Amino acid sequence: MSSNPTSPIKRRVSQQSIIEWAGQVVTVGGDAPVRVQSMTNTDTADAIATAIQVKELAKAGSEIVRITVDNPAAAAAVPAIREQLDKMDVYVPLVGDFHYNGHTLLNDYPDCAQALSKYRINPGNVGQGAKRDMQFSQMIEMACRYKKPIRIGVNWGSLDQDLLAKLLDQNAVSATPKELNQVMAEALIQSALQSAQRAQELGLPSNQITLSCKVSNVQDLISVYRDLAVRCDYPLHLGLTEAGIGSKGIVASTAALSVLLQEGIGDTIRISLTPEPGAPRENEVIVAQEILQTMGLRHFTPMVIACPGCGRTTSTYFQELASRIQSYLRHQMPIWKKNHPGVESMNVAVMGCIVNGPGESKHANIGISLPGTGESPAAPVFVDGVKVKTLRGDKIAEEFQLIVDEYVKNTYQNKVSG
Ligand code: SF4
């Protein structure tokens, strides 16, 4: 039987932000599932390259994609990117990421302001002194004019220095001074909350505002978001900024986000992985999905449960089979998702020997226990806890794949054949 958990997590109550474009809608917060989002790393001015990467990210499961809009050429390319995506039937909202000159670009490129579905505004990067208020106001006016939701995205690396200086001065004369990182955390939170308040005063509805306060240290991120979560009811965008490369980035992001998600905090997540050279950008989407799925918050793709292997199985056959099945399941999902709803919660076990193989296989929807070293060359297959077959010979992988196909067809409603 499937061991998929029913999520015991009680989500924090938040408003719901609605991202709309061309008759499409993606909700964030409220009763919406925790959304997966990502960001391109192409030059936005290259409309075709950017549209292709957005398509790949969306195909991998990114429900919102952010693109840098940092100069006139990038702003001019945004409508062409949207048009190209629409032509390719890629239904994903584009969020424009603005720093320093967003007020000018949104004003000078109205088609860009319209083509984007949401604006990300970093209050630490909208100008200094008196200019900051004016330029922030101009961006909010654009959001009001074009009816676009915004994310107020504060970042440790670009914190509002005036606000930080003010809080440090107050802290210096306080009877109970706080540690520097506590003052910085407070500055992050105040920057986000005060900017949101200002946006509302300028006429932006509160449910069009999402907040984020990103830092690169796991404990600081958890602490900041716990505090932010009780001080407002805006939807929260979670992400560990500059998470890093390879396993370090994945582990750090997972450690931070899973603590917060377990506490019901977080309405949309982005995993800021530095791609390994040549690695696909979509990996950050897959990691985000896997965090949500392993926590039982959402289901995206059937999961393969595989043992790590040990001295009892010296051949790599079961590793190859686990990898082959995982790729196959992910590859089939675009079709299965349409025709076999519910398949995303299926578990498939691929185990290396008799020690835990049959037991783990019985707990999965479908499981196979491959023969370990010295065991009889037979691979029992279990379906919903019952042994249905024993595979032998050199076609085990192909035959097991057919059993998976058959199970999907018979178990999950087939809209095509009724
Ligand atoms: S199931 Fe067998 S091969 Fe796999 S880790 Fe356990 S003992 Fe080792």
Coordinates of all heavy atoms in Angstrom, one line a residue, residues 12 185 189 213 218-232 236 238 255-256 258-266:
R12 N 0.1 28.6 8.0 CA -0.2 30.0 8.5 C -1.3 30.6 7.7 O -1.3 30.4 6.4 CB 1.1 30.8 8.4 CG 1.0 32.3 8.4 CD 2.4 32.9 8.2 NE 2.3 34.3 8.0 CZ 2.2 34.9 6.8 NH1 2.2 34.2 5.7 NH2 2.2 36.3 6.8
A185 N 18.4 41.7 11.3 CA 17.2 40.9 11.1 C 16.0 41.9 11.2 O 15.0 41.8 10.4 CB 17.0 39.7 12.0
I189 N 13.1 43.0 8.4 CA 11.7 42.9 8.5 C 11.0 44.2 8.5 O 10.0 44.4 7.8 CB 11.4 42.2 9.9 CG1 11.9 40.7 9.9 CG2 9.9 42.2 10.2 CD1 11.9 40.0 11.2
C213 N 12.2 38.1 2.8 CA 13.4 38.7 3.5 C 14.4 37.6 3.4 O 14.5 36.7 4.3 CB 13.0 38.9 4.9 SG 12.0 40.4 5.2
V218 N 21.3 29.8 7.4 CA 20.1 29.0 7.6 C 19.4 29.5 8.9 O 18.2 29.7 8.9 CB 20.5 27.5 7.7 CG1 19.3 26.7 8.2 CG2 20.9 27.0 6.3
Q219 N 20.1 29.6 10.0 CA 19.5 29.9 11.3 C 18.9 31.3 11.2 O 17.8 31.6 11.8 CB 20.5 29.8 12.4 CG 21.0 28.4 12.7 CD 19.8 27.5 13.2 OE1 18.8 27.9 13.5 NE2 20.1 26.2 13.2
D220 N 19.6 32.3 10.6 CA 19.1 33.6 10.5 C 17.8 33.6 9.6 O 16.8 34.4 10.0 CB 20.1 34.6 9.8 CG 21.3 34.9 10.8 OD1 21.1 34.7 12.0 OD2 22.4 35.2 10.2
L221 N 17.8 32.8 8.6 CA 16.6 32.8 7.7 C 15.4 32.3 8.5 O 14.3 32.9 8.4 CB 16.8 31.9 6.5 CG 15.7 32.1 5.5 CD1 16.0 33.2 4.4 CD2 15.4 30.8 4.7
I222 N 15.6 31.3 9.3 CA 14.5 30.7 10.0 C 14.0 31.7 11.0 O 12.8 32.0 11.2 CB 14.9 29.4 10.7 CG1 15.2 28.3 9.7 CG2 13.9 28.9 11.8 CD1 15.9 27.1 10.2
S223 N 14.9 32.4 11.7 CA 14.5 33.3 12.7 C 13.8 34.5 12.1 O 12.7 35.0 12.6 CB 15.8 33.8 13.4 OG 15.6 34.9 14.1
V224 N 14.3 35.0 11.0 CA 13.6 36.2 10.3 C 12.2 35.8 9.9 O 11.3 36.6 10.1 CB 14.5 36.7 9.1 CG1 13.7 37.6 8.2 CG2 15.7 37.4 9.6
Y225 N 12.0 34.7 9.3 CA 10.7 34.4 8.8 C 9.7 34.0 9.9 O 8.5 34.3 9.7 CB 10.8 33.2 7.7 CG 11.0 33.8 6.3 CD1 12.3 33.9 5.8 CD2 10.0 34.1 5.5 CE1 12.5 34.4 4.6 CE2 10.2 34.6 4.2 CZ 11.4 34.8 3.8 OH 11.6 35.3 2.5
R226 N 10.2 33.4 10.9 CA 9.3 33.2 12.1 C 8.7 34.5 12.6 O 7.5 34.6 12.9 CB 10.1 32.5 13.2 CG 10.2 31.0 13.0 CD 11.0 30.4 14.2 NE 11.0 28.9 14.1 CZ 12.0 28.2 14.7 NH1 12.9 28.8 15.4 NH2 12.0 26.9 14.5
D227 N 9.6 35.5 12.7 CA 9.2 36.8 13.2 C 8.3 37.4 12.2 O 7.2 37.9 12.5 CB 10.5 37.6 13.4 CG 10.3 38.7 14.4 OD1 9.1 38.9 14.8 OD2 11.3 39.4 14.7
L228 N 8.7 37.4 10.9 CA 7.9 38.1 9.9 C 6.5 37.4 9.8 O 5.5 38.1 9.6 CB 8.6 37.9 8.5 CG 8.0 38.6 7.3 CD1 8.0 40.1 7.5 CD2 8.8 38.2 6.1
A229 N 6.4 36.1 10.0 CA 5.2 35.4 9.8 C 4.1 35.9 10.8 O 2.9 35.8 10.5 CB 5.4 33.9 10.0
V230 N 4.5 36.2 12.0 CA 3.5 36.7 13.0 C 3.3 38.2 13.0 O 2.4 38.6 13.7 CB 4.0 36.2 14.5 CG1 4.0 34.7 14.6 CG2 5.3 36.9 14.9
R231 N 4.0 38.9 12.2 CA 3.8 40.3 12.2 C 3.0 40.8 11.0 O 2.9 42.0 10.8 CB 5.2 41.0 12.2 CG 5.8 40.9 13.6 CD 7.3 41.3 13.7 NE 7.6 42.7 13.5 CZ 8.8 43.2 13.6 NH1 9.8 42.5 14.0 NH2 8.9 44.5 13.4
C232 N 2.6 39.9 10.1 CA 1.8 40.3 9.0 C 1.0 39.1 8.5 O 1.3 38.0 8.9 CB 2.7 40.9 7.9 SG 3.7 39.6 7.1
L236 N 4.1 34.8 2.0 CA 5.5 34.9 2.1 C 6.2 34.0 1.1 O 5.8 32.9 0.8 CB 6.0 34.5 3.5 CG 5.4 35.3 4.7 CD1 6.0 34.8 6.0 CD2 5.8 36.8 4.5
L238 N 9.6 32.2 0.2 CA 10.8 31.7 1.0 C 11.9 31.4 0.0 O 11.7 30.8 -1.1 CB 10.5 30.4 1.7 CG 9.4 30.3 2.7 CD1 9.5 28.9 3.4 CD2 9.5 31.4 3.8
A255 N 17.4 22.5 4.5 CA 17.4 22.6 5.9 C 16.6 23.8 6.4 O 15.7 23.7 7.3 CB 18.8 22.7 6.4
A256 N 16.8 24.9 5.7 CA 16.1 26.1 6.1 C 14.6 26.1 5.8 O 13.8 26.3 6.6 CB 16.7 27.3 5.4
S258 N 12.6 23.5 5.1 CA 11.8 22.5 5.7 C 11.4 22.8 7.1 O 10.3 22.5 7.5 CB 12.4 21.1 5.5 OG 13.7 21.1 6.0
V259 N 12.3 23.5 7.8 CA 11.9 23.9 9.2 C 10.7 24.9 9.1 O 9.7 24.7 9.8 CB 13.1 24.6 9.9 CG1 12.6 25.2 11.2 CG2 14.1 23.6 10.2
L260 N 10.8 25.9 8.2 CA 9.7 26.9 8.1 C 8.4 26.3 7.5 O 7.3 26.5 8.1 CB 10.2 28.0 7.2 CG 11.3 28.9 7.8 CD1 12.0 29.8 6.8 CD2 10.8 29.7 9.0
L261 N 8.6 25.5 6.5 CA 7.4 24.8 5.9 C 6.7 23.9 6.9 O 5.4 23.9 7.0 CB 7.8 24.0 4.7 CG 8.2 24.9 3.5 CD1 8.9 24.0 2.4 CD2 7.0 25.6 2.8
Q262 N 7.5 23.2 7.8 CA 6.9 22.4 8.8 C 6.0 23.2 9.8 O 5.1 22.7 10.3 CB 8.0 21.6 9.5 CG 7.5 20.6 10.5 CD 6.7 19.4 9.9 OE1 6.9 19.1 8.7 NE2 5.9 18.8 10.7
E263 N 6.4 24.5 10.0 CA 5.7 25.3 10.9 C 4.6 26.1 10.1 O 3.9 27.0 10.7 CB 6.7 26.3 11.5 CG 7.7 25.7 12.4 CD 8.7 26.6 13.0 OE1 8.6 27.8 12.8 OE2 9.7 26.1 13.6
G264 N 4.3 25.7 8.9 CA 3.2 26.3 8.1 C 3.6 27.6 7.5 O 2.7 28.3 7.0
I265 N 4.9 28.0 7.5 CA 5.3 29.3 7.0 C 5.8 29.1 5.6 O 6.7 28.3 5.3 CB 6.4 29.9 7.9 CG1 5.9 30.1 9.3 CG2 7.0 31.2 7.3 CD1 7.0 30.4 10.3
G266 N 5.3 29.9 4.7 CA 5.8 29.9 3.3 C 4.7 29.6 2.3 O 4.0 28.6 2.5

